[in-house]
Amino acid sequence: MNADGRQRIDKWLFFARAVKSRSLAARLVVAGRVRINRDKAAQASDLVRPGDVLTITLEGRILVWKVAAPGSRRGPAEEARTLYEDLSPAPAPRGAAVPDAIAPLREAGSGRPTKKERRQTDRLREGG
């Protein structure tokens, strides 16, 4: 850790328990799934300091964390939670429809023909 409170992003993510290992944290950063103050983190050695806002895309969730302190070790979860302030939006309820969703345009039963309907049209074409 530097004297002014800056720390590598991969170490910080590991200490804050966002990921299980430091190598996974480095892969997450290199894959472009971490933003520091709205700018993509280019490499695992990018530095974060208290006050920076991180946007992390992880397993289909978006985490927005404000760095509160640099980490010194990977401790228990209670200790890890003191490293950040969670600003994440509330997750959408499962199965909830999007309010802007467009209703289906076709009538019920007017989709693909059933096997019985296909047989009937084939018989009509054959003249039987």
Side-chain angles (χ1 to χ4, degrees):
M1 174 172 55
N2 294 340
D4 59 351
R6 295 186 308 171
Q7 187 171 40
R8 288 173 58 111
I9 183 71
D10 61 338
K11 284 179 87 170
W12 191 89
L13 288 170
F14 176 62
F15 292 158
R17 294 184 160 261
V19 290
K20 289 186 177 185
S21 71
R22 192 167 159 195
S23 61
L24 285 175
R27 276 195 232 150
L28 192 70
V29 173
V30 172
R33 296 180 178 264
V34 178
R35 292 179 176 264
I36 304 171
N37 298 325
R38 295 187 178 177
D39 297 324
K40 271 190 186 176
Q43 48 193 328
S45 63
D46 286 350
L47 300 175
V48 293
R49 63 179 155 261
D52 285 346
V53 177
L54 304 178
T55 307
I56 307 161
T57 305
L58 190 64
E59 298 172 3
R61 298 177 304 168
I62 297 176
L63 304 173
V64 181
W65 288 353
K66 184 176 183 179
V67 178
S72 58
R73 69 185 188 114
R74 183 177 168 92
E78 293 83 27
E79 184 180 321
R81 277 189 227 109
T82 63
L83 299 179
Y84 62 88
E85 178 186 341
D86 193 0
L87 306 174
S88 302
R94 291 190 172 207
V98 179
D100 297 343
I102 299 172
L105 298 177
R106 63 181 177 87
E107 297 292 324
S110 66
R112 290 181 64 180
T114 64
K115 193 170 188 178
K116 182 179 180 181
E117 292 169 345
R118 286 195 313 264
R119 280 194 216 115
Q120 288 174 349
T121 57
D122 287 343
R123 286 187 192 135
L124 291 175
R125 283 185 202 148
E126 293 173 358

